[in-house]
Amino acid sequence: MSVKAIYFKLSIVIAVICVALGVYAVEPAKSTVSKCSATLKSAPSLTATFILDSDNGQIPGSLTMSGRCFKLITDRLSIWYDGKTQWTYIPDNEEVNITEPTPDELMETNPVEIINASMSKYSARVVSTDGNVRTIELKPLNAGGSIVSAELSIDTVRNLPTRIVAVFTNGSRLIANIANVKIGKAIGRSAFVYDTKLHPSAETIDLR
């Protein structure tokens, strides 16, 4: 899988989690989505681990969010964003790209911007309930996007997502199992600034 494809799929995982913040839903999907939305939006910080299972294999990773900042770490690609500057570390190339993303670019890669934006482009309905976990089907109201449909499973006790299944227009499927989701105190901006000591031999490419 290319770095570009990994980057896209990771952003889709985040987008499908956050799309629940503004979907057009009917009861009881609306109630489930609204509670999950409120939990995510009110969290001073959120950390989670995930395993991304696609047609090209599995990618484990972790996500940390606080305010407008986020950090996404995997063994294929890692991203730090401090609210202004974004660092993207690509192990295969042993390089770090530094950018200041535009609002449109942030909409594709930054979970915080997705949360803040209006995402009322999907309909939602409950497709199954298994114990405390309720699965919501999301479908775009308009054709033309990269996602044909998605399923978002939510723990109705904690009001947090546990699993995502996304189907793309090319027929490929992606599954993200989310675990160890924790809500904590606000995290300082400095925690989302890339530390050059992490990868001292990596070439830095400043694209700002």
Side-chain angles (χ1 to χ4, degrees):
M1 188 191 302
S2 69
V3 169
K4 183 177 180 181
I6 295 168
Y7 194 80
F8 174 73
K9 288 183 180 295
L10 288 174
S11 67
I12 288 296
V13 169
I14 300 166
V16 174
I17 294 173
C18 299
V19 79
L21 299 176
V23 296
Y24 172 78
V26 295
E27 296 290 356
K30 182 176 181 179
S31 174
T32 304
V33 166
S34 295
K35 290 176 181 178
C36 179
S37 162
T39 299
L40 292 174
K41 291 174 74 173
S42 65
S45 72
L46 185 147
T47 60
T49 59
F50 62 85
I51 295 179
L52 186 65
D53 191 353
S54 72
D55 297 338
N56 301 98
Q58 292 188 335
I59 302 175
S62 64
L63 172 67
T64 303
M65 298 167 55
S66 184
R68 297 188 67 247
C69 305
F70 81 101
K71 178 170 61 176
L72 186 68
I73 306 296
T74 77
D75 60 356
R76 310 271 188 95
L77 183 77
S78 297
I79 305 170
W80 295 257
Y81 180 72
D82 69 353
K84 179 183 179 182
T85 304
Q86 181 168 294
W87 295 263
T88 304
Y89 171 62
I90 307 170
D92 286 351
N93 299 345
E94 195 59 23
E95 66 182 36
V96 177
N97 293 327
I98 305 175
T99 59
E100 290 184 0
T102 65
D104 286 344
E105 289 170 338
L106 286 175
M107 281 299 300
E108 296 178 359
T109 60
N110 189 334
V112 181
E113 293 303 316
I114 295 170
I115 289 175
N116 291 336
S118 172
M119 296 296 291
S120 54
K121 298 180 181 179
Y122 292 77
S123 64
R125 69 182 183 92
V126 175
V127 292
S128 67
T129 301
D130 183 5
N132 296 328
V133 177
R134 183 169 292 160
T135 299
I136 311 294
E137 180 187 61
L138 303 174
K139 285 200 170 181
L141 297 176
N142 299 307
S146 59
I147 297 178
V148 175
S149 65
E151 288 185 354
L152 175 62
S153 297
I154 297 172
D155 181 335
T156 57
V157 174
R158 300 190 66 203
N159 297 313
L160 292 169
T162 62
R163 189 172 190 259
I164 297 165
V165 180
V167 180
F168 300 91
T169 51
N170 64 2
S172 65
R173 180 183 296 265
L174 174 146
I175 300 172
N177 291 299
I178 306 163
N180 304 315
V181 182
K182 297 179 182 178
I183 293 174
K185 297 179 180 179
I187 300 173
R189 178 174 171 268
S190 61
F192 301 94
V193 174
Y194 171 71
D195 184 352
T196 56
K197 294 178 182 178
L198 291 173
H199 307 288
S201 62
E203 178 185 3
T204 298
I205 303 175
D206 195 332
L207 303 174
R208 290 174 291 184

